[in-house]
Amino acid sequence: MKRRAIRWITMSLASAMIVCSGPQLTLQAMENHDITPALQEQAEQEKEEAGEEEQLSGQTRQLVQALERLAAEREILATLYRVDRYPLSATAGYAESGMVWIPSGGQVVIESVALQDGAVWYLVDYVQDEQSYRGYVQADYLISTDSRFLDWLQEYGEALAAQTNGEEEYLVKAPDDISAFPESYRSSLARLKSQHPNWVFVPMNTNIDWSTVITEEMRGDRSWVHSSRPAAWKGEQRDTNWYLATKEAVEYCVDPRNFLNEKYIFMFEQLTYNGNCHSVQGVQNIVQNTFMRGEIPGEGISYAQNFFNLGQNLGVSPFHLASRVYQEQGVNGTSPLISGTYPGYEGYYNYYNISASGTSDQQVIESGLRYARSKGWNTRRKAIAGGAEFISGNYILKGQDTLYLQKFDVDGSYNGLFSHQYMQNITAPMSEGSTTRAAYERAGALNNMFVFKIPVYRNMPASACPEPGSSQNLNPTPEQEKQLRAFIVRLYLDALGRNSYADSEVDFWYQELVSRKKNGAEVAMGFFFSDEFKKKGLSDGEYVDLLYRVMFDRNADGAGKENWMRKLELGMSREAIFAGFANSSEFTDVCADYGVERGTITWNAYRDQNEGVTGFVTRLYNKALGRKGDDEGMETWCRVILRREDTVEHVAEGFIFSGEFMEKNLSNEEYCKVLYRTFLDREYDPDGLRTWMGRLEAGDSRENVFYGFARSGEFREIMNRYGIQPY
């Protein structure tokens, strides 16, 4: 436990000034008495230190005031992550006890900030079981997508980054976001992370037993499925187009592991406003092919602009507001709930179907319009605004801040558990999530930072629950068996380049496919990374050409091959390149021709998780050591940077002062030239070289010269190009 005897600086509007009386007394003595030069020098030094303290005090006051102004405008939501639970403390500073434990995924509202014990602490509000608590959380354990807050972090980043003295040692902090999840979640999340390095995944520790949540979601009319679903999804019919969901369907839809993929991951996106991603055009993309493509009738404003304005003002996602109406009202918007003409409720509208419930169409419509009348929603715009405020105030700002949580109420902050659910349709998070993802893709925003809060339950099944109606083993017809075997033979011919194979070899891979122990991608990987294949000794270019022929059934195109070769030159592994081919739509089509399930390849090597980091490590090998990085070294150094086991500066230092580098026995001049190439990305300039040589010849150490290069502005610019920070 790290405890420090450091003065406590309360960072609030009332008190943010550090009192420094000592230097003032010394200066007074200088004015009234004769003093020695030594005392005068001391006094000047103390004066300078006092000035620095005063400057620090002013800067901290500014950053606190700026954050509190943002908090006064609207709530700044943040989420606890990278630790199973955290003790909310009454005071800022390291302490092992707290008022209440916040679980991973817990939602808090940031109110202010404090600097204490060499760290940054946020004053937050937290609610558990309807009970409100106010206290401090260290900054390292909170994450937010509020764009105003992120701008504040950027503006005052240098002052905040200076507070790096330590962390709470009694907490077990995950080295990265994915490591905080159970093992059965990690491979899918790692695959998403490899494609979207800026995405952040947060486990929401519900502390609910798996059997309990399934039992509760099966209770009464909580879980329905549409009539279009296969028979295995449908239980008792409840209405013309709706059925109670079967237990298998509920298990499949409740299990988050089934949706950790590109199509559905946005059902776990936190639904707060993000100015870096949300735009009017993005909302328009969602509503373009629906009844909301143009203006709201009689209101003089487009649906898209109206949703955007509401989201921005309420601090919630306008994409979510638009997607929710789309989900509730469909493409054509013909529901009586928004017609304004339903008998007895003329002139009232309920765009979000709030409180529209019952066991018949009539009950659903009339209960929804009765609620609209009670709220005075007698114009379309009032109904849209009122519904948005309802969702914001009753769900998003009260813990149910994802599509998943709005359907499956497993957050205990407010309203208990299970009963406070927005919709009955168990597939609604899937459809709304995919709609939102498509909107971000069209807006070119998929690689921005998103936070995904993903529930974790106690005693979950070892693997994801299967989709209703799926069987464990294939039962191929004779024709299907012929196709499966042809798929395997093709790999022997094209990947290994031989037509001599035993029936037993083909039988082995055939059984792997039929038993579903392996899918098409995994079988292909078995060929490409077999000892037999490795002995071919193919160059990178030959390897990529072969991947095109085998996995895509065509020759490489120039631009495509150039892209894969660039990744290999950066230092990414051949396994990662294979995964890119195996997880593609083109390989899906090839597999479909043979009746093979494609599946997915997950590759979690650190060197393949972030192109910028990998490229930087490769650069160090090339520039400093003059060679290509070896597999073990690439993996090690990428891990060190990505997991923040050490600073990038120290990683570079490890190369320059490694035994391999030292064995080169470079002269001072050659040493400086290597530093120019490594840290400044250029050849030396004569004046600069003379300066560095002069320092070395005067007795300065090579270590100090190294730091001069490593801490230069030019090196920082290089780091920015790679998307990483040097310190």
Side-chain angles (χ1 to χ4, degrees):
M1 177 66 191
K2 296 184 180 178
R3 299 187 182 275
R4 299 174 179 81
I6 297 179
R7 63 185 182 279
W8 188 53
I9 307 172
T10 303
M11 303 310 302
S12 67
L13 287 177
S15 175
M17 186 70 71
I18 303 170
V19 179
C20 306
S21 59
Q24 293 174 0
L25 292 173
T26 303
L27 292 174
Q28 185 66 39
M30 285 176 60
E31 295 174 0
N32 298 321
H33 304 281
D34 292 331
I35 55 176
T36 65
L39 287 176
Q40 182 174 356
E41 182 179 351
Q42 178 185 350
E44 291 294 339
Q45 182 178 351
E46 290 174 347
K47 179 180 179 181
E48 182 178 346
E49 291 173 354
E52 291 175 354
E53 290 261 294
E54 187 175 349
Q55 182 179 3
L56 173 63
S57 174
Q59 187 175 39
T60 52
R61 182 170 56 250
Q62 289 175 8
L63 68 88
V64 173
Q65 291 174 338
L67 182 60
E68 291 182 349
R69 280 195 298 271
L70 295 180
E73 290 175 3
R74 67 168 186 263
E75 292 180 324
I76 303 172
L77 299 183
T79 305
L80 189 82
Y81 82 132
R82 292 188 70 178
V83 66
D84 286 342
R85 58 179 189 160
Y86 187 97
L88 185 67
S89 302
T91 59
Y94 295 105
E96 296 188 19
S97 61
M99 297 173 285
V100 66
W101 287 90
I102 306 175
S104 175
Q107 183 190 84
V108 301
V109 178
I110 295 176
E111 297 288 347
S112 187
V113 63
L115 306 185
Q116 169 66 15
D117 286 3
V120 180
W121 307 82
Y122 291 118
L123 177 63
V124 305
D125 288 328
Y126 170 66
V127 175
Q128 187 177 98
D129 298 328
E130 306 282 348
Q131 179 66 45
S132 181
Y133 301 89
R134 197 163 188 257
Y136 288 88
V137 177
Q138 189 182 347
D140 287 349
Y141 299 96
L142 290 179
I143 189 166
S144 174
T145 58
D146 190 304
S147 56
R148 303 170 306 135
F149 176 71
L150 296 178
D151 290 342
W152 174 84
L153 282 176
Q154 184 172 1
E155 182 175 357
Y156 296 101
E158 186 174 345
L160 297 171
Q163 308 298 316
T164 57
N165 282 1
E167 61 185 39
E168 296 167 285
E169 293 179 339
Y170 62 92
L171 295 175
V172 180
K173 185 176 180 181
D176 53 63
D177 53 345
I178 294 175
S179 299
F181 283 86
E183 184 65 38
S184 60
Y185 285 70
R186 294 178 190 173
S187 60
S188 297
L189 294 176
R191 181 170 63 253
L192 290 171
K193 192 84 163 184
S194 68
Q195 298 300 314
H196 308 282
N198 293 324
W199 289 6
V200 178
F201 304 103
V202 178
M204 176 187 171
N205 291 338
T206 63
N207 202 32
I208 302 172
D209 194 84
W210 175 256
S211 62
T212 299
V213 68
I214 298 304
T215 298
E216 290 296 334
E217 291 301 332
M218 292 289 295
R219 194 179 300 280
D221 284 304
R222 282 180 180 164
S223 297
W224 287 14
V225 293
H226 193 262
S227 58
S228 59
R229 289 286 168 177
W233 289 69
K234 296 182 292 192
E236 178 185 344
Q237 187 167 7
R238 305 302 281 172
D239 196 8
T240 304
N241 293 314
W242 294 97
Y243 291 75
L244 287 178
T246 62
K247 182 180 180 181
E248 291 76 15
V250 171
E251 288 177 330
Y252 177 76
C253 290
V254 170
D255 195 335
R257 296 169 295 183
N258 286 313
F259 310 107
L260 306 181
N261 52 54
E262 287 279 359
K263 185 174 183 179
Y264 295 124
I265 188 64
F266 279 87
M267 71 164 66
F268 305 111
E269 177 207 3
Q270 290 195 288
L271 301 174
T272 48
Y273 176 75
N274 189 330
N276 296 320
C277 304
H278 298 137
S279 65
V280 176
Q281 183 57 52
V283 181
Q284 186 65 45
N285 289 336
I286 294 174
V287 303
Q288 182 59 39
N289 296 317
T290 75
F291 71 96
M292 297 180 286
R293 68 178 63 87
E295 287 192 353
I296 305 173
E299 298 290 353
I301 187 174
S302 70
Y303 277 99
Q305 185 69 59
N306 192 54
F307 283 127
F308 179 80
N309 293 348
L310 287 169
Q312 190 176 47
N313 292 335
L314 294 170
V316 302
S317 166
F319 286 11
H320 169 58
L321 298 177
S323 297
R324 174 54 52 82
V325 172
Y326 181 15
Q327 173 72 24
E328 298 294 339
Q329 303 303 334
V331 173
N332 298 317
T334 57
S335 167
L337 281 157
I338 61 171
S339 68
T341 60
Y342 191 82
Y345 297 91
E346 291 86 354
Y348 289 97
Y349 307 86
N350 191 335
Y351 271 78
Y352 296 90
N353 291 354
I354 296 170
S355 292
S357 60
T359 57
S360 68
D361 285 346
Q362 182 178 350
Q363 288 180 358
V364 170
I365 294 167
E366 292 183 358
S367 63
L369 288 174
R370 191 159 49 246
Y371 183 85
R373 185 167 60 188
S374 73
K375 293 297 181 180
W377 294 348
N378 56 5
T379 70
R380 295 178 184 273
R381 196 167 180 182
K382 283 183 183 179
I384 296 171
E389 291 169 2
F390 177 90
I391 294 172
S392 171
N394 290 281
Y395 288 90
I396 297 175
L397 301 181
K398 289 192 173 180
Q400 291 177 262
D401 54 348
T402 70
L403 292 169
Y404 180 99
L405 292 176
Q406 289 183 15
K407 170 61 194 110
F408 304 113
D409 176 18
V410 294
D411 177 88
S413 302
Y414 298 86
N415 305 304
L417 292 168
F418 308 117
S419 61
H420 192 248
Q421 301 188 158
Y422 189 89
M423 70 283 276
Q424 293 169 292
N425 179 8
I426 63 173
T427 64
M430 298 165 60
S431 57
E432 287 191 52
S434 61
T435 298
T436 301
R437 192 240 183 239
Y440 282 128
E441 184 176 27
R442 287 192 292 267
L446 272 183
N447 289 321
N448 287 7
M449 188 192 85
F450 292 98
V451 175
F452 300 97
K453 188 165 75 173
I454 305 167
V456 175
Y457 302 98
R458 296 199 312 261
N459 301 314
M460 297 181 73
S463 57
C465 296
E467 186 172 352
S470 63
S471 60
Q472 185 62 32
N473 294 303
L474 293 172
N475 294 301
T477 65
E479 180 59 31
Q480 289 171 330
E481 178 179 346
K482 182 179 179 181
Q483 287 182 304
L484 293 174
R485 290 182 179 276
F487 176 79
I488 297 163
V489 168
R490 178 176 179 273
L491 290 171
Y492 276 104
L493 292 172
D494 294 346
L496 298 184
R498 63 181 173 95
N499 53 19
S500 57
Y501 43 83
D503 289 342
S504 59
E505 290 180 292
V506 177
D507 286 341
F508 169 80
W509 292 112
Y510 173 74
Q511 290 301 327
E512 293 289 288
L513 287 172
V514 169
S515 65
R516 294 195 172 182
K517 291 180 180 178
K518 283 186 168 59
N519 51 51
E522 291 167 335
V523 169
M525 190 170 191
F527 279 79
F528 271 91
F529 295 95
S530 65
D531 290 339
E532 181 178 351
F533 185 87
K534 291 177 182 177
K535 288 178 181 177
K536 292 177 173 293
L538 299 182
S539 67
D540 285 346
E542 292 170 330
Y543 174 71
V544 172
D545 283 337
L546 190 61
L547 282 173
Y548 269 98
R549 290 198 296 273
V550 176
M551 308 297 285
F552 289 176
D553 198 22
R554 65 177 175 87
N555 291 327
D557 59 279
K561 181 177 180 180
E562 182 180 348
N563 175 59
W564 296 115
M565 291 295 292
R566 181 188 63 81
K567 292 178 182 292
L568 287 168
E569 289 167 3
L570 276 176
M572 298 182 73
S573 69
R574 287 191 174 189
E575 287 86 351
I577 306 306
F578 173 85
F581 279 81
N583 297 336
S584 69
S585 58
E586 282 197 71
F587 187 58
T588 301
D589 295 338
V590 170
C591 287
D593 290 341
Y594 292 90
V596 173
E597 180 185 348
R598 189 205 76 183
T600 301
I601 292 296
T602 300
W603 187 251
N604 298 325
Y606 287 102
R607 66 187 293 187
D608 300 317
Q609 293 181 15
N610 185 301
E611 289 188 12
V613 170
T614 302
F616 172 71
V617 173
T618 296
R619 171 191 176 80
L620 289 176
Y621 273 103
N622 293 340
K623 301 289 187 179
L625 301 185
R627 67 174 176 87
K628 183 178 179 180
D630 57 279
D631 290 340
E632 182 179 356
M634 288 292 302
E635 184 70 4
T636 297
W637 292 115
C638 288
R639 185 201 73 228
V640 168
I641 295 175
L642 287 170
R643 294 179 60 173
R644 297 185 179 179
E645 296 173 5
D646 209 340
T647 66
V648 176
E649 179 185 279
H650 287 162
V651 169
E653 188 175 6
F655 276 79
I656 297 300
F657 297 102
S658 65
E660 181 178 350
F661 187 88
M662 301 295 282
E663 288 175 1
K664 294 177 179 290
N665 292 319
L666 299 180
S667 66
N668 285 342
E669 182 176 345
E670 289 303 317
Y671 173 75
C672 290
K673 290 178 179 179
V674 169
L675 295 184
Y676 267 99
R677 299 178 191 120
T678 304
F679 295 98
L680 306 187
D681 197 27
R682 61 180 173 85
E683 290 299 323
Y684 66 93
D685 59 282
D687 290 341
L689 182 61
R690 278 194 297 271
T691 298
W692 294 114
M693 289 290 294
R695 286 181 55 172
L696 290 171
E697 290 169 359
D700 205 351
S701 67
R702 288 194 173 191
E703 287 81 1
N704 285 341
V705 171
F706 161 81
Y707 289 124
F709 280 84
R711 295 174 180 175
S712 67
E714 287 186 75
F715 183 56
R716 184 181 293 274
E717 290 178 5
I718 291 173
M719 293 302 92
N720 288 337
R721 294 208 303 266
Y722 286 105
I724 55 181
Q725 294 298 317
Y727 311 120

